[in-house]
Amino acid sequence: MRDEPVVFDRMKRDQQRKMLERRGEIPTRSVKPRDALANGGSSFSPLDISGYVTGAANLDHAETAPPVMIGVMGHNGARNVARNSKVSYRGNLIFCSRQVQHESRIEKNVAQIVITWPELVNIWSQQPRVKYPDENGECHYHTFDYLVLLRDGRRIAISVKPESRRENEEAKLKQIVSVPQSQFDEAFVFTDAQATRTATFNARFILWSRKNANEDEIMAAREVMHLLPSNIFFWQLFDDGIPHHLRRAAIGKLIDSGEVVPIDPLARINDWCRLRVVHEPPHFNLTRSIHPFPRDGEALSGE
């Protein structure tokens, strides 16, 4: 559940890609359709492959059947992230069968954290691209790293930078929002001060739990949860305290749904993490989830 170092040896890079494919963080490879060359397509992206329905019910009409899309859609951003280099960590996550690209380790961590927000409806990478004037009146363009749509309809533009460049980036955002923007409602800078190693570890655990949670195990963990006091250890939700990966995923799903919450929100979620059972219906604090580490400044409005 940790980041793998970027390597440039071809064999190791292929092994790393296969490992990321198993984890679902990049689209799997696909083969060319039968008529790719016949239609004049000498090159194509595996994300834009169209095949033919070949099920048992359609064998007689396979050639005339409508094309179906397979694989993962592109991110549809204003730009593609840079190619791998010594200063780049190119890759993508998958959200709703669509790429969410990143070109640095901080961007990857931020994307994983944002995807775990309970209010998240959709996320796009390398959007929006806006035009803004500088202090001298000259116009420039800026592309945000992520655009997030929340459940209440708000659109949040996120710029990801190291903490050392926060002040310069916030100054740029003030120039951007000095002109009314129609593509987003608020904008703020997300740095490695918010996307800490602990926060990223917890986000990966939640995403892993979403993929591996079993409904029977969730019900069993919920039954054990209601038999215990309000404050419990993570390991107490195991059967007889014996660790099991399916039960661990079920507990992560309960944390994701807000039925149990970590007593210390800044602590790493592990077997010795202390949890609090929430008996009332979960109510998510929108501001707290967007700004996990409050600062003196608020998000900048684009209206």
Side-chain angles (χ1 to χ4, degrees):
M1 297 179 65
R2 63 179 182 177
D3 283 342
E4 289 73 22
V6 180
V7 294
F8 301 97
D9 181 77
R10 182 172 182 178
M11 182 178 297
K12 291 185 178 180
R13 186 175 60 188
D14 291 343
Q15 293 175 354
Q16 187 181 61
R17 179 183 177 89
K18 291 180 180 179
M19 183 274 300
L20 293 176
E21 287 176 356
R22 290 194 297 269
R23 282 170 33 177
E25 295 192 6
I26 59 176
T28 57
R29 294 190 179 97
S30 301
V31 297
K32 288 187 177 181
R34 293 173 300 181
D35 58 343
L37 297 178
N39 293 336
S42 58
S43 62
F44 64 96
S45 168
L47 307 178
D48 299 324
I49 293 175
S50 60
Y52 290 92
V53 179
T54 57
N58 300 297
L59 288 178
D60 297 335
H61 308 283
E63 297 297 332
T64 59
V68 295
M69 298 303 298
I70 60 176
V72 181
M73 295 182 292
H75 74 134
N76 297 327
R79 58 179 287 270
N80 287 319
V81 298
R83 296 180 62 86
N84 268 349
S85 66
K86 293 183 179 180
V87 295
S88 178
Y89 190 81
R90 182 183 182 182
N92 58 78
L93 306 174
I94 305 301
F95 183 82
C96 294
S97 299
R98 192 184 66 253
Q99 288 185 0
V100 179
Q101 294 187 356
H102 57 80
E103 56 185 337
S104 69
R105 193 179 298 270
I106 301 178
E107 288 187 16
K108 178 180 179 181
N109 295 345
V110 169
Q112 291 174 322
I113 293 174
V114 170
I115 291 175
T116 62
W117 287 354
E119 306 86 9
L120 180 72
V121 175
N122 216 330
I123 178 174
W124 299 269
S125 55
Q126 303 302 319
Q127 288 193 32
R129 187 170 187 261
V130 297
K131 184 178 180 180
Y132 70 98
D134 60 10
E135 297 177 352
N136 300 323
E138 297 182 1
C139 291
H140 302 273
Y141 290 92
H142 177 74
T143 302
F144 285 89
D145 295 298
Y146 299 110
L147 177 64
V148 174
L149 175 63
L150 301 180
R151 189 181 303 165
D152 61 356
R154 283 192 296 162
R155 296 162 299 169
I156 311 296
I158 300 176
S159 183
V160 181
K161 296 294 180 184
E163 181 63 26
S164 59
R165 298 174 57 183
R166 175 189 287 274
E167 294 184 1
N168 294 336
E169 192 67 16
E170 287 182 344
K172 181 188 293 185
L173 293 189
K174 289 181 180 179
Q175 290 295 124
I176 292 176
V177 299
S178 64
V179 179
Q181 300 291 340
S182 60
Q183 302 184 61
F184 64 90
D185 302 310
E186 297 179 11
F188 66 93
V189 184
F190 214 131
T191 71
D192 48 355
Q194 289 80 42
T196 61
R197 296 184 65 179
T198 297
T200 306
F201 177 90
N202 293 343
R204 290 177 184 156
F205 172 70
I206 294 299
L207 296 177
W208 174 83
S209 300
R210 290 179 180 179
K211 294 180 181 179
N212 297 276
N214 182 287
E215 190 62 33
D216 294 335
E217 289 292 334
I218 294 176
M219 293 297 296
R222 188 178 288 119
E223 292 177 1
V224 175
M225 176 185 70
H226 290 298
L227 296 176
L228 297 174
S230 296
N231 295 339
I232 58 177
F233 285 102
F234 188 102
W235 63 266
Q236 290 181 275
L237 295 179
F238 292 120
D239 289 338
D240 298 327
I242 301 176
H244 190 273
H245 72 282
L246 288 179
R247 180 60 59 86
R248 183 176 282 108
I251 300 172
K253 189 66 176 178
L254 293 178
I255 296 175
D256 186 30
S257 63
E259 298 183 51
V260 292
V261 295
I263 293 179
D264 183 1
L266 305 183
R268 180 169 294 201
I269 300 176
N270 53 29
D271 291 357
W272 289 94
C273 175
R274 293 191 63 90
L275 305 175
R276 178 172 58 86
V277 179
V278 180
H279 296 287
E280 66 273 10
H283 176 72
F284 301 109
N285 188 326
L286 197 61
T287 305
R288 175 63 177 172
S289 65
I290 296 178
H291 304 281
F293 299 89
R295 291 172 46 84
D296 296 335
E298 294 295 331
L300 302 176
S301 174
E303 294 296 334

